[in-house]
Amino acid sequence: MSRPSSIEGYAIVSADGMIADARGAMPDALKIEADQRFFHAALDRAAALAHGRHSQETDGNEARRRRIVLTRRFAAVAADPRNPKAVLWNPAGARLEAAWDALGAPDGPLVVIGGTEVFGLFLEIGYEALHLSRAGKVRLPGGRPVFPGVGPRSPEALLAEHGLEPGPVRVLDAAAEATLCEWRKTEGGRQRTQSG
């Protein structure tokens, strides 16, 4: 079985670590132009995307990208009846490699784009890198966190607990207090594991 050459996550969070408001919608305040350009450039380099049913990109190129859609509606891996470039994957019933093989993706990175449970699952599987943007002026009380466990702990604390180390912080938009930090797996970081 094959697997992606790397697993990379891309997320923008509010100051309090949320990716969406309490209704599950990504507010316009998190759609910062410089971050959107960075995000869409990463999608264009990806061999495939991984996300839940409600996460998606907004650049109009959804139909041309291969994707693994995480779901509990199927026992293991199934073709997506609505999209020939997608497979539906239940991580409780099959390993990531089975979904990757069923997708027939070319060699390259798998880009994880959300939501909370998906970001959390791949935190356990193991990211080679997670690109964490932060909109410092935005707060989303009662919103949806980037990872399960955000609230008592910060996204950064959870990334560090899973063997990732931060690089330098880059300013994306000073007026919006938007920054970007790339977290990478350390030499002694946890190995990727997945039961199934």
Side-chain angles (χ1 to χ4, degrees), residues 30-160:
L30 286 182
K31 297 173 185 171
I32 296 166
E33 187 177 334
D35 179 69
Q36 288 287 299
R37 283 192 307 269
F38 177 76
F39 175 66
H40 290 296
L43 299 184
D44 288 340
R45 290 188 304 272
L49 310 180
H51 57 82
R53 287 180 318 164
H54 301 295
S55 299
Q56 60 189 13
E57 62 273 28
T58 57
D59 65 351
N61 289 318
E62 305 90 59
R64 71 177 182 83
R65 294 189 178 112
R66 293 181 190 274
R67 62 193 65 242
I68 298 171
V69 180
L70 284 79
T71 181
R72 292 185 189 98
R73 293 183 178 183
F74 293 88
V77 177
D80 186 333
R82 294 175 299 172
N83 183 348
K85 290 193 170 194
V87 296
L88 304 170
W89 173 45
N90 182 343
R95 296 179 58 83
L96 173 60
E97 292 85 351
W100 190 257
D101 282 346
L103 186 61
D107 186 43
L110 175 63
V111 169
V112 180
I113 63 172
T116 303
E117 289 183 34
V118 176
F119 281 129
L121 172 71
F122 282 96
L123 194 57
E124 295 302 321
I125 292 172
Y127 290 105
E128 272 74 26
L130 189 127
H131 306 268
L132 185 66
S133 299
R134 185 177 286 278
K137 287 187 172 179
V138 180
R139 289 203 161 278
L140 299 170
R144 302 239 174 116
V146 63
F147 303 118
V150 167
R153 292 175 289 172
S154 70
E156 292 84 357
L158 289 164
L159 288 165

